[in-house]
Amino acid sequence: MGEPDQITLLEIILIGMLGMFLLGFGVVAFFIVYQRRLLKQQEANQQIKEDYQKNLLKASIESQEKERQRIAEALHDEVGALITTSKLHIGQIKPNTSEAKMKERLSSATDILTETLQSVRQISLNLKPPVLEALGLVAAIRSLIQKINTSGQIEIICNGPDELMVPPEESLGCYRIIQELLQNGLKHAKASEITLDIQQIGRSIQIDYQDNGIGFDFTKMAASDQGLGLRNIESRLNLLNGTISPQFRPGGGTHLRIETFKPVTSYD
Amino acid sequence: MIKQLVENSTFISSLSIIIPLIVGLVRFRKLSPTQKLLSYLVIASALTEIIANILWYQQLRNLEVYNVYALINFNLLAIILSRHLYLTWRKPLKLFLICFNGYFIIDALFFKDLKHWEYNFNSNLTTSASIILIVLALSYFHKLLKEVRYQKLERNSQFWISSGIVMYYSGTLILFLLGNQVNDPEYSYYYELHFAAWGLNSFFNLVLNTTYTIALWVNPIK
């Protein structure tokens, strides 16, 4: 009776030892495979993040260059041309020029210089709207909308509070985002109506943009090299610690939701 | 023939500790705190093997050397594993280790029949220590998976140590649990059982020493 028991013991111990070892080995192997998969996923996510940051940086630089080019063109074509003309008028005033002619030249030069001053003011206005500093973000948005609405091409409706808690240094970023949204709506969406709903939710500001235009594939556009305007918005939102996301809009068109988090927290 | 093969593999397995020992000693200055603790363990293991082999060749029983080493080995491994454990686990583990050591020392010194104990394998100590070490190593794996940033495992010495522990102690758990039966010469299948079981243990030990060597070889991620 004793021997079969001992054979069983021998079998139990040997098979058990081998089985347990293989189980331990299996656990380690499973862990390696699973962790490697997670690592790969992490690296892929990291790559996406890096690409996204690169794109944002590129968009930011492109936007800056575009703005510089616009200012350079305005200075060269408008201000430069006006100053050159006024210089010509002044240059024609000689010691032997008659008083009547001199007055005429001076008057022309003064008119041109006044026009130059207006041009410079306009350039400065485009760089930073004075109403933004004087009356705040909501007033600046309403002023911008009013200007666009007067063209008669489109109707923009803005719903929101009279005041928003946005620090002055970040209100320009919010203003530019809305400006870019409206410009995109005018240029690409072929919309006849745009609605902006602005809300202060807790510490963040939520902007809902809706138009009745042709709409676009947000994900495709965000990933592509085109859509500079969208990347420009993302780049600015990045600084404001905000997000932009497409929303479902029944009946077509575009519905985008923008949320900024950073502005209000700096009031803490 | 089988007896010779097993004896040879046991001897090779005992000798295999030399490789991590050399790696540990050569790279000692460059080692991380975890690797330094492992190198102390390897030194202790090498000393045990030397003493045990001397006793064996002098026809003296050497299990008591392994019993003392088992306690040192368990404590050092528990310290190594606890270095990377969840913070909340560390204090209870420290307390548990003190109680665990206290129990086995008091039990061995005052309650065990020393004459009897000397000739027996301390199965309770090694089995419970094995289970605790497996649990600690698995909890380290769990923690690794929960980390925010994953890292390459090849350069992680703690991972190699934990892998070695999981494989070795899982494989030898049954051997430690039934250790006294395996070492009991009264069984008629004693030789087959004894040599096969300890032959397998030699193989597992070889795997463990390999993981120790890698753990001491890799440059830890800073």
Side-chain angles (χ1 to χ4, degrees), chain A residues 6-7 10 13 16-17 20-21 25 28 31-32 34-36 39 42, chain B residues 141 144-145 149-151 154 159 167 170-171 174 182 187-188 193 204:
Chain A
Q6 284 151 17
I7 293 168
L10 175 76
I13 290 178
M17 278 177 78
M20 287 293 279
F21 175 78
F25 180 79
V28 173
F31 177 77
I32 292 171
Y34 190 67
Q35 206 266 4
R36 197 155 279 187
L39 185 70
Q42 179 186 273
Chain B
F141 284 162
L144 263 188
L145 285 180
R149 276 194 70 81
Y150 302 110
Q151 37 179 277
E154 302 90 80
F159 163 73
M167 287 188 283
S170 301
I174 292 174
V182 175
Y187 281 105
S188 54
L193 182 61
F204 299 157

PDB file of all heavy atoms in Angstrom, chain A residues 6-7 10 13 16-17 20-21 25 28 31-32 34-36 39 42, chain B residues 141 144-145 149-151 154 159 167 170-171 174 182 187-188 193 204:
ATOM      1  N   GLN A   6       3.711   6.621  -2.404  1.00  0.00           N
ATOM      2  CA  GLN A   6       4.975   7.332  -2.597  1.00  0.00           C
ATOM      3  C   GLN A   6       5.166   7.755  -4.046  1.00  0.00           C
ATOM      4  O   GLN A   6       5.720   8.805  -4.320  1.00  0.00           O
ATOM      5  CB  GLN A   6       6.128   6.448  -2.117  1.00  0.00           C
ATOM      6  CG  GLN A   6       6.215   6.431  -0.585  1.00  0.00           C
ATOM      7  CD  GLN A   6       6.780   5.162  -0.039  1.00  0.00           C
ATOM      8  OE1 GLN A   6       7.396   4.407  -0.773  1.00  0.00           O
ATOM      9  NE2 GLN A   6       6.566   4.912   1.229  1.00  0.00           N
ATOM     10  N   ILE A   7       4.670   6.910  -4.980  1.00  0.00           N
ATOM     11  CA  ILE A   7       4.748   7.299  -6.396  1.00  0.00           C
ATOM     12  C   ILE A   7       3.897   8.546  -6.618  1.00  0.00           C
ATOM     13  O   ILE A   7       4.291   9.482  -7.287  1.00  0.00           O
ATOM     14  CB  ILE A   7       4.294   6.138  -7.317  1.00  0.00           C
ATOM     15  CG1 ILE A   7       5.308   4.992  -7.215  1.00  0.00           C
ATOM     16  CG2 ILE A   7       4.193   6.606  -8.775  1.00  0.00           C
ATOM     17  CD1 ILE A   7       4.838   3.701  -7.837  1.00  0.00           C
ATOM     18  N   LEU A  10       5.659  11.480  -5.339  1.00  0.00           N
ATOM     19  CA  LEU A  10       6.719  11.849  -6.274  1.00  0.00           C
ATOM     20  C   LEU A  10       6.138  12.636  -7.448  1.00  0.00           C
ATOM     21  O   LEU A  10       6.631  13.704  -7.827  1.00  0.00           O
ATOM     22  CB  LEU A  10       7.407  10.574  -6.783  1.00  0.00           C
ATOM     23  CG  LEU A  10       8.472  10.751  -7.863  1.00  0.00           C
ATOM     24  CD1 LEU A  10       9.748  11.272  -7.255  1.00  0.00           C
ATOM     25  CD2 LEU A  10       8.748   9.429  -8.569  1.00  0.00           C
ATOM     26  N   ILE A  13       4.783  16.119  -6.350  1.00  0.00           N
ATOM     27  CA  ILE A  13       5.861  17.098  -6.133  1.00  0.00           C
ATOM     28  C   ILE A  13       6.473  17.542  -7.457  1.00  0.00           C
ATOM     29  O   ILE A  13       6.601  18.746  -7.725  1.00  0.00           O
ATOM     30  CB  ILE A  13       6.931  16.523  -5.175  1.00  0.00           C
ATOM     31  CG1 ILE A  13       6.340  16.438  -3.765  1.00  0.00           C
ATOM     32  CG2 ILE A  13       8.174  17.409  -5.162  1.00  0.00           C
ATOM     33  CD1 ILE A  13       7.251  15.864  -2.734  1.00  0.00           C
ATOM     34  N   GLY A  16       3.807  19.239  -9.720  1.00  0.00           N
ATOM     35  CA  GLY A  16       3.459  20.491  -9.039  1.00  0.00           C
ATOM     36  C   GLY A  16       4.550  21.530  -9.179  1.00  0.00           C
ATOM     37  O   GLY A  16       4.283  22.697  -9.484  1.00  0.00           O
ATOM     38  N   MET A  17       5.792  21.092  -8.954  1.00  0.00           N
ATOM     39  CA  MET A  17       6.925  22.039  -9.062  1.00  0.00           C
ATOM     40  C   MET A  17       7.020  22.606 -10.466  1.00  0.00           C
ATOM     41  O   MET A  17       7.138  23.817 -10.654  1.00  0.00           O
ATOM     42  CB  MET A  17       8.241  21.329  -8.713  1.00  0.00           C
ATOM     43  CG  MET A  17       8.495  21.222  -7.221  1.00  0.00           C
ATOM     44  SD  MET A  17       9.993  20.307  -6.869  1.00  0.00           S
ATOM     45  CE  MET A  17      11.238  21.539  -7.204  1.00  0.00           C
ATOM     46  N   MET A  20       3.950  24.856 -11.230  1.00  0.00           N
ATOM     47  CA  MET A  20       4.018  26.152 -10.538  1.00  0.00           C
ATOM     48  C   MET A  20       5.080  27.045 -11.159  1.00  0.00           C
ATOM     49  O   MET A  20       4.899  28.253 -11.294  1.00  0.00           O
ATOM     50  CB  MET A  20       4.323  25.938  -9.050  1.00  0.00           C
ATOM     51  CG  MET A  20       3.168  25.382  -8.255  1.00  0.00           C
ATOM     52  SD  MET A  20       1.786  26.531  -8.129  1.00  0.00           S
ATOM     53  CE  MET A  20       2.345  27.596  -6.819  1.00  0.00           C
ATOM     54  N   PHE A  21       6.191  26.418 -11.561  1.00  0.00           N
ATOM     55  CA  PHE A  21       7.254  27.202 -12.196  1.00  0.00           C
ATOM     56  C   PHE A  21       6.743  27.795 -13.519  1.00  0.00           C
ATOM     57  O   PHE A  21       6.947  28.978 -13.799  1.00  0.00           O
ATOM     58  CB  PHE A  21       8.485  26.325 -12.458  1.00  0.00           C
ATOM     59  CG  PHE A  21       9.569  27.049 -13.229  1.00  0.00           C
ATOM     60  CD1 PHE A  21      10.407  27.950 -12.591  1.00  0.00           C
ATOM     61  CD2 PHE A  21       9.728  26.846 -14.589  1.00  0.00           C
ATOM     62  CE1 PHE A  21      11.401  28.618 -13.293  1.00  0.00           C
ATOM     63  CE2 PHE A  21      10.718  27.518 -15.301  1.00  0.00           C
ATOM     64  CZ  PHE A  21      11.554  28.396 -14.650  1.00  0.00           C
ATOM     65  N   PHE A  25       6.362  31.568 -14.612  1.00  0.00           N
ATOM     66  CA  PHE A  25       6.957  32.037 -15.871  1.00  0.00           C
ATOM     67  C   PHE A  25       5.888  32.695 -16.740  1.00  0.00           C
ATOM     68  O   PHE A  25       6.122  33.753 -17.345  1.00  0.00           O
ATOM     69  CB  PHE A  25       7.591  30.845 -16.606  1.00  0.00           C
ATOM     70  CG  PHE A  25       8.235  31.204 -17.901  1.00  0.00           C
ATOM     71  CD1 PHE A  25       9.499  31.784 -17.925  1.00  0.00           C
ATOM     72  CD2 PHE A  25       7.582  30.985 -19.112  1.00  0.00           C
ATOM     73  CE1 PHE A  25      10.088  32.138 -19.130  1.00  0.00           C
ATOM     74  CE2 PHE A  25       8.161  31.334 -20.313  1.00  0.00           C
ATOM     75  CZ  PHE A  25       9.421  31.909 -20.323  1.00  0.00           C
ATOM     76  N   VAL A  28       5.028  36.182 -15.516  1.00  0.00           N
ATOM     77  CA  VAL A  28       6.073  37.145 -15.905  1.00  0.00           C
ATOM     78  C   VAL A  28       5.955  37.453 -17.410  1.00  0.00           C
ATOM     79  O   VAL A  28       5.997  38.618 -17.819  1.00  0.00           O
ATOM     80  CB  VAL A  28       7.479  36.601 -15.566  1.00  0.00           C
ATOM     81  CG1 VAL A  28       8.567  37.505 -16.113  1.00  0.00           C
ATOM     82  CG2 VAL A  28       7.630  36.460 -14.062  1.00  0.00           C
ATOM     83  N   PHE A  31       2.993  39.589 -18.094  1.00  0.00           N
ATOM     84  CA  PHE A  31       3.258  40.950 -17.650  1.00  0.00           C
ATOM     85  C   PHE A  31       4.125  41.701 -18.663  1.00  0.00           C
ATOM     86  O   PHE A  31       3.857  42.859 -18.995  1.00  0.00           O
ATOM     87  CB  PHE A  31       3.955  40.932 -16.275  1.00  0.00           C
ATOM     88  CG  PHE A  31       4.326  42.299 -15.800  1.00  0.00           C
ATOM     89  CD1 PHE A  31       3.372  43.141 -15.270  1.00  0.00           C
ATOM     90  CD2 PHE A  31       5.625  42.763 -15.917  1.00  0.00           C
ATOM     91  CE1 PHE A  31       3.699  44.418 -14.865  1.00  0.00           C
ATOM     92  CE2 PHE A  31       5.961  44.027 -15.507  1.00  0.00           C
ATOM     93  CZ  PHE A  31       5.006  44.860 -14.972  1.00  0.00           C
ATOM     94  N   ILE A  32       5.171  41.010 -19.168  1.00  0.00           N
ATOM     95  CA  ILE A  32       6.070  41.657 -20.141  1.00  0.00           C
ATOM     96  C   ILE A  32       5.291  42.067 -21.400  1.00  0.00           C
ATOM     97  O   ILE A  32       5.393  43.203 -21.856  1.00  0.00           O
ATOM     98  CB  ILE A  32       7.251  40.718 -20.508  1.00  0.00           C
ATOM     99  CG1 ILE A  32       8.160  40.532 -19.295  1.00  0.00           C
ATOM    100  CG2 ILE A  32       8.053  41.266 -21.683  1.00  0.00           C
ATOM    101  CD1 ILE A  32       9.225  39.473 -19.461  1.00  0.00           C
ATOM    102  N   TYR A  34       2.015  42.471 -21.799  1.00  0.00           N
ATOM    103  CA  TYR A  34       1.004  43.480 -21.500  1.00  0.00           C
ATOM    104  C   TYR A  34       1.638  44.855 -21.288  1.00  0.00           C
ATOM    105  O   TYR A  34       1.153  45.862 -21.816  1.00  0.00           O
ATOM    106  CB  TYR A  34       0.235  43.047 -20.246  1.00  0.00           C
ATOM    107  CG  TYR A  34      -0.991  43.874 -19.975  1.00  0.00           C
ATOM    108  CD1 TYR A  34      -2.085  43.825 -20.829  1.00  0.00           C
ATOM    109  CD2 TYR A  34      -1.053  44.710 -18.864  1.00  0.00           C
ATOM    110  CE1 TYR A  34      -3.209  44.588 -20.581  1.00  0.00           C
ATOM    111  CE2 TYR A  34      -2.183  45.475 -18.619  1.00  0.00           C
ATOM    112  CZ  TYR A  34      -3.254  45.407 -19.473  1.00  0.00           C
ATOM    113  OH  TYR A  34      -4.371  46.163 -19.229  1.00  0.00           O
ATOM    114  N   GLN A  35       2.750  44.877 -20.547  1.00  0.00           N
ATOM    115  CA  GLN A  35       3.421  46.149 -20.266  1.00  0.00           C
ATOM    116  C   GLN A  35       3.994  46.747 -21.542  1.00  0.00           C
ATOM    117  O   GLN A  35       3.963  47.946 -21.745  1.00  0.00           O
ATOM    118  CB  GLN A  35       4.519  45.918 -19.219  1.00  0.00           C
ATOM    119  CG  GLN A  35       4.844  47.143 -18.394  1.00  0.00           C
ATOM    120  CD  GLN A  35       5.994  47.932 -18.935  1.00  0.00           C
ATOM    121  OE1 GLN A  35       6.527  47.614 -19.992  1.00  0.00           O
ATOM    122  NE2 GLN A  35       6.388  48.974 -18.230  1.00  0.00           N
ATOM    123  N   ARG A  36       4.516  45.862 -22.420  1.00  0.00           N
ATOM    124  CA  ARG A  36       5.085  46.324 -23.685  1.00  0.00           C
ATOM    125  C   ARG A  36       4.005  46.978 -24.546  1.00  0.00           C
ATOM    126  O   ARG A  36       4.235  47.982 -25.192  1.00  0.00           O
ATOM    127  CB  ARG A  36       5.725  45.139 -24.421  1.00  0.00           C
ATOM    128  CG  ARG A  36       6.662  45.559 -25.501  1.00  0.00           C
ATOM    129  CD  ARG A  36       7.677  44.513 -25.783  1.00  0.00           C
ATOM    130  NE  ARG A  36       8.773  44.547 -24.824  1.00  0.00           N
ATOM    131  CZ  ARG A  36       9.859  43.819 -24.918  1.00  0.00           C
ATOM    132  NH1 ARG A  36       9.991  42.976 -25.908  1.00  0.00           N
ATOM    133  NH2 ARG A  36      10.827  43.922 -24.039  1.00  0.00           N
ATOM    134  N   LEU A  39       3.328  50.282 -23.111  1.00  0.00           N
ATOM    135  CA  LEU A  39       4.445  51.178 -23.419  1.00  0.00           C
ATOM    136  C   LEU A  39       4.337  51.697 -24.853  1.00  0.00           C
ATOM    137  O   LEU A  39       4.535  52.881 -25.113  1.00  0.00           O
ATOM    138  CB  LEU A  39       5.769  50.436 -23.221  1.00  0.00           C
ATOM    139  CG  LEU A  39       7.042  51.257 -23.378  1.00  0.00           C
ATOM    140  CD1 LEU A  39       7.201  52.243 -22.235  1.00  0.00           C
ATOM    141  CD2 LEU A  39       8.267  50.344 -23.420  1.00  0.00           C
ATOM    142  N   GLN A  42       1.654  54.170 -25.029  1.00  0.00           N
ATOM    143  CA  GLN A  42       2.115  55.419 -24.428  1.00  0.00           C
ATOM    144  C   GLN A  42       3.003  56.190 -25.393  1.00  0.00           C
ATOM    145  O   GLN A  42       2.877  57.405 -25.535  1.00  0.00           O
ATOM    146  CB  GLN A  42       2.896  55.105 -23.153  1.00  0.00           C
ATOM    147  CG  GLN A  42       3.429  56.346 -22.464  1.00  0.00           C
ATOM    148  CD  GLN A  42       4.309  55.973 -21.293  1.00  0.00           C
ATOM    149  OE1 GLN A  42       3.832  55.775 -20.197  1.00  0.00           O
ATOM    150  NE2 GLN A  42       5.602  55.867 -21.518  1.00  0.00           N
TER     151      GLN A  42
ATOM    152  N   PHE B 141       4.528  44.159  -9.636  1.00  0.00           N
ATOM    153  CA  PHE B 141       4.053  44.122 -11.032  1.00  0.00           C
ATOM    154  C   PHE B 141       2.779  44.951 -11.173  1.00  0.00           C
ATOM    155  O   PHE B 141       2.622  45.710 -12.122  1.00  0.00           O
ATOM    156  CB  PHE B 141       3.753  42.676 -11.463  1.00  0.00           C
ATOM    157  CG  PHE B 141       4.979  41.861 -11.754  1.00  0.00           C
ATOM    158  CD1 PHE B 141       4.917  40.483 -11.792  1.00  0.00           C
ATOM    159  CD2 PHE B 141       6.201  42.467 -12.016  1.00  0.00           C
ATOM    160  CE1 PHE B 141       6.039  39.707 -12.075  1.00  0.00           C
ATOM    161  CE2 PHE B 141       7.329  41.714 -12.297  1.00  0.00           C
ATOM    162  CZ  PHE B 141       7.250  40.339 -12.321  1.00  0.00           C
ATOM    163  N   LEU B 144       3.568  48.504 -11.159  1.00  0.00           N
ATOM    164  CA  LEU B 144       4.183  48.911 -12.435  1.00  0.00           C
ATOM    165  C   LEU B 144       3.121  49.193 -13.494  1.00  0.00           C
ATOM    166  O   LEU B 144       3.242  50.139 -14.267  1.00  0.00           O
ATOM    167  CB  LEU B 144       5.097  47.800 -12.958  1.00  0.00           C
ATOM    168  CG  LEU B 144       6.593  47.894 -12.669  1.00  0.00           C
ATOM    169  CD1 LEU B 144       7.328  46.822 -13.433  1.00  0.00           C
ATOM    170  CD2 LEU B 144       7.184  49.251 -12.994  1.00  0.00           C
ATOM    171  N   LEU B 145       2.090  48.339 -13.507  1.00  0.00           N
ATOM    172  CA  LEU B 145       1.030  48.510 -14.510  1.00  0.00           C
ATOM    173  C   LEU B 145       0.204  49.757 -14.250  1.00  0.00           C
ATOM    174  O   LEU B 145      -0.367  50.323 -15.164  1.00  0.00           O
ATOM    175  CB  LEU B 145       0.102  47.294 -14.510  1.00  0.00           C
ATOM    176  CG  LEU B 145       0.639  46.025 -15.160  1.00  0.00           C
ATOM    177  CD1 LEU B 145      -0.394  44.930 -15.082  1.00  0.00           C
ATOM    178  CD2 LEU B 145       1.013  46.257 -16.617  1.00  0.00           C
ATOM    179  N   ARG B 149       3.634  56.722 -16.134  1.00  0.00           N
ATOM    180  CA  ARG B 149       4.594  56.617 -17.236  1.00  0.00           C
ATOM    181  C   ARG B 149       5.218  55.220 -17.224  1.00  0.00           C
ATOM    182  O   ARG B 149       5.791  54.808 -16.215  1.00  0.00           O
ATOM    183  CB  ARG B 149       5.696  57.664 -17.081  1.00  0.00           C
ATOM    184  CG  ARG B 149       5.296  59.009 -17.634  1.00  0.00           C
ATOM    185  CD  ARG B 149       6.507  59.885 -17.755  1.00  0.00           C
ATOM    186  NE  ARG B 149       7.383  59.412 -18.814  1.00  0.00           N
ATOM    187  CZ  ARG B 149       7.194  59.668 -20.094  1.00  0.00           C
ATOM    188  NH1 ARG B 149       6.171  60.365 -20.481  1.00  0.00           N
ATOM    189  NH2 ARG B 149       8.032  59.217 -20.997  1.00  0.00           N
ATOM    190  N   TYR B 150       5.078  54.514 -18.327  1.00  0.00           N
ATOM    191  CA  TYR B 150       5.681  53.184 -18.415  1.00  0.00           C
ATOM    192  C   TYR B 150       7.128  53.317 -18.869  1.00  0.00           C
ATOM    193  O   TYR B 150       7.476  54.219 -19.610  1.00  0.00           O
ATOM    194  CB  TYR B 150       4.888  52.316 -19.393  1.00  0.00           C
ATOM    195  CG  TYR B 150       3.454  52.190 -18.994  1.00  0.00           C
ATOM    196  CD1 TYR B 150       2.457  52.804 -19.735  1.00  0.00           C
ATOM    197  CD2 TYR B 150       3.096  51.502 -17.843  1.00  0.00           C
ATOM    198  CE1 TYR B 150       1.124  52.725 -19.346  1.00  0.00           C
ATOM    199  CE2 TYR B 150       1.785  51.413 -17.455  1.00  0.00           C
ATOM    200  CZ  TYR B 150       0.802  52.027 -18.208  1.00  0.00           C
ATOM    201  OH  TYR B 150      -0.510  51.949 -17.809  1.00  0.00           O
ATOM    202  N   GLN B 151       7.951  52.407 -18.401  1.00  0.00           N
ATOM    203  CA  GLN B 151       9.363  52.458 -18.754  1.00  0.00           C
ATOM    204  C   GLN B 151       9.800  51.118 -19.335  1.00  0.00           C
ATOM    205  O   GLN B 151       9.099  50.118 -19.187  1.00  0.00           O
ATOM    206  CB  GLN B 151      10.179  52.791 -17.524  1.00  0.00           C
ATOM    207  CG  GLN B 151       9.619  52.128 -16.271  1.00  0.00           C
ATOM    208  CD  GLN B 151      10.399  52.418 -15.045  1.00  0.00           C
ATOM    209  OE1 GLN B 151      11.383  51.755 -14.809  1.00  0.00           O
ATOM    210  NE2 GLN B 151       9.965  53.378 -14.261  1.00  0.00           N
ATOM    211  N   GLU B 154      13.615  46.199 -19.603  1.00  0.00           N
ATOM    212  CA  GLU B 154      14.952  45.610 -19.722  1.00  0.00           C
ATOM    213  C   GLU B 154      15.968  46.306 -18.809  1.00  0.00           C
ATOM    214  O   GLU B 154      16.936  45.692 -18.376  1.00  0.00           O
ATOM    215  CB  GLU B 154      15.470  45.706 -21.163  1.00  0.00           C
ATOM    216  CG  GLU B 154      14.604  45.050 -22.201  1.00  0.00           C
ATOM    217  CD  GLU B 154      13.572  46.005 -22.756  1.00  0.00           C
ATOM    218  OE1 GLU B 154      13.909  46.826 -23.618  1.00  0.00           O
ATOM    219  OE2 GLU B 154      12.422  45.919 -22.309  1.00  0.00           O
ATOM    220  N   PHE B 159      12.551  44.852 -11.719  1.00  0.00           N
ATOM    221  CA  PHE B 159      11.709  43.944 -12.512  1.00  0.00           C
ATOM    222  C   PHE B 159      12.364  42.570 -12.631  1.00  0.00           C
ATOM    223  O   PHE B 159      11.708  41.535 -12.460  1.00  0.00           O
ATOM    224  CB  PHE B 159      11.462  44.535 -13.908  1.00  0.00           C
ATOM    225  CG  PHE B 159      10.966  43.507 -14.898  1.00  0.00           C
ATOM    226  CD1 PHE B 159       9.676  43.031 -14.819  1.00  0.00           C
ATOM    227  CD2 PHE B 159      11.812  42.994 -15.879  1.00  0.00           C
ATOM    228  CE1 PHE B 159       9.225  42.061 -15.703  1.00  0.00           C
ATOM    229  CE2 PHE B 159      11.377  42.027 -16.764  1.00  0.00           C
ATOM    230  CZ  PHE B 159      10.073  41.560 -16.675  1.00  0.00           C
ATOM    231  N   MET B 167       9.239  33.323 -10.428  1.00  0.00           N
ATOM    232  CA  MET B 167       9.482  32.018 -11.062  1.00  0.00           C
ATOM    233  C   MET B 167      10.077  31.016 -10.069  1.00  0.00           C
ATOM    234  O   MET B 167       9.600  29.891  -9.938  1.00  0.00           O
ATOM    235  CB  MET B 167      10.402  32.197 -12.276  1.00  0.00           C
ATOM    236  CG  MET B 167       9.689  32.845 -13.448  1.00  0.00           C
ATOM    237  SD  MET B 167      10.660  32.876 -14.947  1.00  0.00           S
ATOM    238  CE  MET B 167      11.777  34.194 -14.661  1.00  0.00           C
ATOM    239  N   SER B 170       7.664  30.206  -7.008  1.00  0.00           N
ATOM    240  CA  SER B 170       6.476  29.449  -7.429  1.00  0.00           C
ATOM    241  C   SER B 170       6.880  28.001  -7.665  1.00  0.00           C
ATOM    242  O   SER B 170       6.177  27.064  -7.253  1.00  0.00           O
ATOM    243  CB  SER B 170       5.898  30.012  -8.736  1.00  0.00           C
ATOM    244  OG  SER B 170       5.548  31.335  -8.581  1.00  0.00           O
ATOM    245  N   GLY B 171       8.016  27.815  -8.345  1.00  0.00           N
ATOM    246  CA  GLY B 171       8.495  26.473  -8.666  1.00  0.00           C
ATOM    247  C   GLY B 171       8.850  25.662  -7.439  1.00  0.00           C
ATOM    248  O   GLY B 171       8.588  24.442  -7.382  1.00  0.00           O
ATOM    249  N   ILE B 174       6.083  23.997  -3.612  1.00  0.00           N
ATOM    250  CA  ILE B 174       5.651  22.650  -3.220  1.00  0.00           C
ATOM    251  C   ILE B 174       6.814  21.885  -2.576  1.00  0.00           C
ATOM    252  O   ILE B 174       6.640  21.166  -1.603  1.00  0.00           O
ATOM    253  CB  ILE B 174       5.072  21.892  -4.432  1.00  0.00           C
ATOM    254  CG1 ILE B 174       3.763  22.568  -4.840  1.00  0.00           C
ATOM    255  CG2 ILE B 174       4.861  20.414  -4.133  1.00  0.00           C
ATOM    256  CD1 ILE B 174       3.142  22.035  -6.097  1.00  0.00           C
ATOM    257  N   VAL B 182      10.469  14.970   1.306  1.00  0.00           N
ATOM    258  CA  VAL B 182      11.464  14.796   0.242  1.00  0.00           C
ATOM    259  C   VAL B 182      12.809  14.381   0.841  1.00  0.00           C
ATOM    260  O   VAL B 182      13.547  13.587   0.269  1.00  0.00           O
ATOM    261  CB  VAL B 182      11.619  16.100  -0.571  1.00  0.00           C
ATOM    262  CG1 VAL B 182      12.729  15.983  -1.606  1.00  0.00           C
ATOM    263  CG2 VAL B 182      10.315  16.453  -1.266  1.00  0.00           C
ATOM    264  N   TYR B 187      11.418   6.757   3.027  1.00  0.00           N
ATOM    265  CA  TYR B 187      10.619   6.441   1.849  1.00  0.00           C
ATOM    266  C   TYR B 187      11.416   5.542   0.920  1.00  0.00           C
ATOM    267  O   TYR B 187      12.601   5.787   0.689  1.00  0.00           O
ATOM    268  CB  TYR B 187      10.261   7.723   1.075  1.00  0.00           C
ATOM    269  CG  TYR B 187       9.115   8.484   1.695  1.00  0.00           C
ATOM    270  CD1 TYR B 187       9.349   9.657   2.399  1.00  0.00           C
ATOM    271  CD2 TYR B 187       7.804   8.036   1.558  1.00  0.00           C
ATOM    272  CE1 TYR B 187       8.310  10.369   2.963  1.00  0.00           C
ATOM    273  CE2 TYR B 187       6.756   8.741   2.132  1.00  0.00           C
ATOM    274  CZ  TYR B 187       7.009   9.901   2.831  1.00  0.00           C
ATOM    275  OH  TYR B 187       5.989  10.594   3.390  1.00  0.00           O
ATOM    276  N   SER B 188      10.699   4.542   0.313  1.00  0.00           N
ATOM    277  CA  SER B 188      11.431   3.643  -0.583  1.00  0.00           C
ATOM    278  C   SER B 188      11.782   4.338  -1.894  1.00  0.00           C
ATOM    279  O   SER B 188      12.702   3.943  -2.582  1.00  0.00           O
ATOM    280  CB  SER B 188      10.627   2.378  -0.833  1.00  0.00           C
ATOM    281  OG  SER B 188       9.346   2.720  -1.289  1.00  0.00           O
ATOM    282  N   LEU B 193      12.742  10.609  -5.657  1.00  0.00           N
ATOM    283  CA  LEU B 193      12.069  11.849  -5.268  1.00  0.00           C
ATOM    284  C   LEU B 193      13.081  12.932  -4.892  1.00  0.00           C
ATOM    285  O   LEU B 193      13.027  14.069  -5.374  1.00  0.00           O
ATOM    286  CB  LEU B 193      11.131  11.557  -4.084  1.00  0.00           C
ATOM    287  CG  LEU B 193      10.305  12.725  -3.556  1.00  0.00           C
ATOM    288  CD1 LEU B 193       9.397  13.257  -4.640  1.00  0.00           C
ATOM    289  CD2 LEU B 193       9.468  12.272  -2.359  1.00  0.00           C
ATOM    290  N   PHE B 204      15.771  25.694 -11.211  1.00  0.00           N
ATOM    291  CA  PHE B 204      15.099  26.955 -10.841  1.00  0.00           C
ATOM    292  C   PHE B 204      16.107  27.943 -10.251  1.00  0.00           C
ATOM    293  O   PHE B 204      16.030  29.154 -10.489  1.00  0.00           O
ATOM    294  CB  PHE B 204      13.979  26.700  -9.826  1.00  0.00           C
ATOM    295  CG  PHE B 204      12.881  25.796 -10.310  1.00  0.00           C
ATOM    296  CD1 PHE B 204      12.076  25.106  -9.420  1.00  0.00           C
ATOM    297  CD2 PHE B 204      12.633  25.635 -11.675  1.00  0.00           C
ATOM    298  CE1 PHE B 204      11.064  24.272  -9.860  1.00  0.00           C
ATOM    299  CE2 PHE B 204      11.615  24.809 -12.128  1.00  0.00           C
ATOM    300  CZ  PHE B 204      10.837  24.118 -11.223  1.00  0.00           C
TER     301      PHE B 204
END
